[in-house]
Structures are given as structure tokens and as C-alpha cells.
Amino acid sequence: MAPGDPVRRRLCVRPGAVVTLTLSPRLDDKRWTSVLSSAPALVVASAWRVDGHGTGHATLRCAGIRGGTAEVTASAKAPDVAGAARPVFTLDMSVVPYPQEG
């Protein structure tokens, strides 16, 4: 996600896919805080980190067999403000199995 991009995107992948999510540094006073999956049995968000330039990085690993949908949300908040971070970007992931023959 880069400044000016839509705050909600869609992605369709096959089971077993590994996606690298890169979130560009924010232009406001907020900082990336986390990436979470609504269906961790289907899409697991791991290797979350924010580098020294403010770019967020996560690896999204999809289940190897089954299909379904998951919302992956990235949250951000101002570092000097109390309270919980709020989701500011959502990736709607659809995991679609290969057709079965027979």
C-alpha cells in the first residue's frame, strides 16, 4: 500500500500461496502497528515488522488445501496518543482451490 492507494483491495490466490505485504510509510502522524487475519486457519499473517523508514512488512501464508475468504487488516496509530490502533487498510483475500477432475 502506498499513499493515495485505496484503503480496501481484493486479491485472489490459490491454496498454498505466500504473499508479501508491503505497507509504505504513512504521510500522517500515525505508524503501522500490526497486521491481523480474520481467518488465521486460512490465511496466517506472520513475520510482521516495521523498518527504520516506517515501511511495514508482513508475510501472508494461505492454507495448503482449502478455500475460503479472509480479511487481512493493517492498523496504525499515532505513537504519542493513548488508545487502540485502528484498521486503516484491508486486503480481502479469496483462496480458490484448483478445480478437481473426475
Side-chain angles (χ1 to χ4, degrees):
M1 177 180 184
D5 281 356
V7 296
R8 189 170 206 106
R9 303 288 298 258
R10 301 180 78 173
L11 180 65
C12 183
V13 297
R14 296 290 186 189
V18 178
V19 176
T20 300
L21 178 64
T22 303
L23 303 163
S24 295
R26 297 187 52 85
L27 299 177
D28 55 14
D29 65 337
K30 296 180 177 156
R31 303 292 177 255
W32 297 114
T33 58
S34 64
V35 171
L36 297 172
S37 171
S38 66
L42 183 66
V43 177
V44 175
S46 63
W48 169 248
R49 67 183 177 85
V50 177
D51 66 24
H53 301 288
T55 302
H57 305 272
T59 301
L60 308 175
R61 297 183 185 280
C62 302
I65 299 172
R66 55 182 272 215
T69 60
E71 283 187 356
V72 177
T73 54
S75 298
K77 76 181 271 309
D80 57 348
V81 177
R86 295 186 183 266
V88 293
F89 174 72
T90 302
L91 179 62
D92 293 315
M93 292 188 68
S94 296
V95 181
V96 180
Y98 291 99
Q100 295 182 352
E101 294 184 34

